[in-house]
Amino acid sequence: MAKINNVKKAVLGTALAGVLVAGAGFGTYSWFTDSTQAQGQVKNAIVEIAGGGQASFDYSSGYLAPSRSQIAEEWKTIENNSTDRRISLSASFTGKLYGDSSDIDFSKYKSTALFVFNKDASGVQDAEFIDSSLREYLEEDDMTMLEFEKLLQELYGAKMEIVVIEGEEDVEELEATLEASEDAPVAALVSSDFIEAQLENSVSSVGTMSHDPVKVMEKGILFGETISRQHYVHVLFGTSLKETAGNEYQNAKMDFQIHVEANQVDRLADLD
């Protein structure tokens, strides 16, 4: 379900964002290297896009030990730089899996994306808390996205609308929530189950070189919304290797690219 009204007290774990961990038999634990590509303008780490603009955020992981996560080193920010009152903004993803074995697949990775829509170019309030909460969610197999939502709701209360995207009906609810939110920020949590279900449709790579991916998934859906000219969209991504991953994942890594595209809204529809 997309929203929470009654919130129970949630206890934040002690995972520290700066700790480096190595697992027995697994490669060095390292951070995401993330980069930005944009057809719009990049200014002070803010990607400015208008109708017809595109941006891609690349997250390339090192080798993860089981039950360990990686969170992007920084949030990415998108500014609606259109002169139109509203634009259509869509987000999709591409996943690529690399490794020594053809038997590996995306099912051993738990990934989630967080989008915060607000009117603040400086970013997201309490972003460090969100990073830590996201890490706990990714590393605890028994934590659900709903419990991560409770952590956010406990912090923000009525100050932020929170929508969990678990299916297409939640994507529709997100647009309605953005329309009705007025000045309140809106957080969209793309659940790991929603991402994993789409990654199940990945295909084996036909490449023959050692650096070619083993599995590839293209054009996964995150959301498609109409946003106002005042909106900034702040993006965070993280993933973890599940505890059940075997030795065949020792030299495995996952690349994840988030594609964001802005298009003009039909002017007649925009006047309605």
Side-chain angles (χ1 to χ4, degrees):
M1 182 60 192
K3 297 182 183 176
I4 282 278
N5 293 320
N6 298 319
V7 182
K8 295 192 298 183
K9 182 69 176 178
V11 179
L12 181 64
T14 57
L16 298 177
V19 176
L20 301 181
V21 182
F26 277 77
T28 302
Y29 175 66
S30 61
W31 291 109
F32 272 117
T33 55
D34 56 339
S35 61
T36 304
Q37 304 170 18
Q39 292 183 8
Q41 296 181 340
V42 180
K43 179 181 178 182
N44 296 329
I46 296 177
V47 180
E48 298 179 352
I49 59 176
Q54 298 179 356
S56 294
F57 305 136
D58 301 301
Y59 305 95
S60 182
S61 70
Y63 306 118
L64 280 173
S67 299
R68 297 301 179 183
S69 64
Q70 292 193 29
I71 312 295
E73 290 183 339
E74 63 180 5
W75 291 70
K76 301 295 186 181
T77 295
I78 303 163
E79 178 184 2
N80 177 7
N81 200 27
S82 173
T83 57
D84 292 344
R85 185 170 66 90
R86 299 188 302 170
I87 62 170
S88 172
L89 189 74
S90 62
S92 60
F93 68 87
T94 297
K96 294 182 180 180
L97 187 61
Y98 299 82
D100 296 335
S101 172
S102 60
D103 294 331
I104 62 175
D105 58 49
F106 289 105
S107 67
K108 296 300 181 183
Y109 289 85
K110 182 178 182 180
S111 305
T112 189
L114 175 60
F115 298 84
V116 175
F117 301 79
N118 65 18
K119 298 181 180 181
D120 188 354
S122 63
V124 178
Q125 183 182 5
D126 299 306
E128 291 184 4
F129 175 88
I130 295 178
D131 284 22
S132 299
S133 301
L134 186 62
R135 182 174 300 281
E136 183 175 359
Y137 160 68
L138 289 169
E139 293 187 358
E140 295 294 333
D141 285 341
D142 59 348
M143 278 191 77
T144 66
M145 177 60 81
L146 192 63
E147 288 170 312
F148 178 40
E149 181 184 5
K150 289 177 184 178
L151 287 170
L152 291 181
Q153 192 70 61
E154 179 76 11
L155 176 65
Y156 291 107
K159 296 178 181 179
M160 179 183 287
E161 295 279 357
I162 299 174
V163 177
V164 177
I165 298 178
E166 299 176 305
E168 292 184 6
E169 66 278 3
D170 298 318
V171 175
E172 295 175 1
E173 181 171 354
L174 175 59
E175 182 166 358
T177 302
L178 285 169
E179 187 72 25
S181 66
E182 297 182 353
D183 291 332
V186 175
L189 309 174
V190 184
S191 75
S192 60
D193 289 342
F194 186 58
I195 292 176
E196 187 174 323
Q198 296 183 75
L199 288 173
E200 289 179 356
N201 297 319
S202 64
V203 297
S204 298
S205 173
V206 296
T208 58
M209 304 297 290
S210 60
H211 58 270
D212 288 330
V214 176
K215 297 285 193 304
V216 177
M217 165 65 195
E218 295 184 352
K219 297 182 179 179
I221 297 171
L222 295 173
F223 67 78
E225 307 304 331
T226 300
I227 65 172
S228 73
R229 186 165 55 230
Q230 291 109 347
H231 273 134
Y232 290 85
V233 185
H234 310 282
V235 185
L236 186 67
F237 176 78
T239 192
S240 64
L241 185 63
K242 296 179 181 178
E243 185 179 8
T244 54
N247 287 333
E248 64 270 25
Y249 288 84
Q250 179 173 338
N251 293 317
K253 70 169 187 173
M254 184 182 72
D255 286 0
F256 198 93
Q257 185 178 64
I258 294 177
H259 313 280
V260 180
E261 182 174 353
N263 290 293
Q264 292 180 325
V265 175
D266 182 87
R267 288 190 178 274
L268 292 178
D270 198 32
L271 292 174
D272 291 342

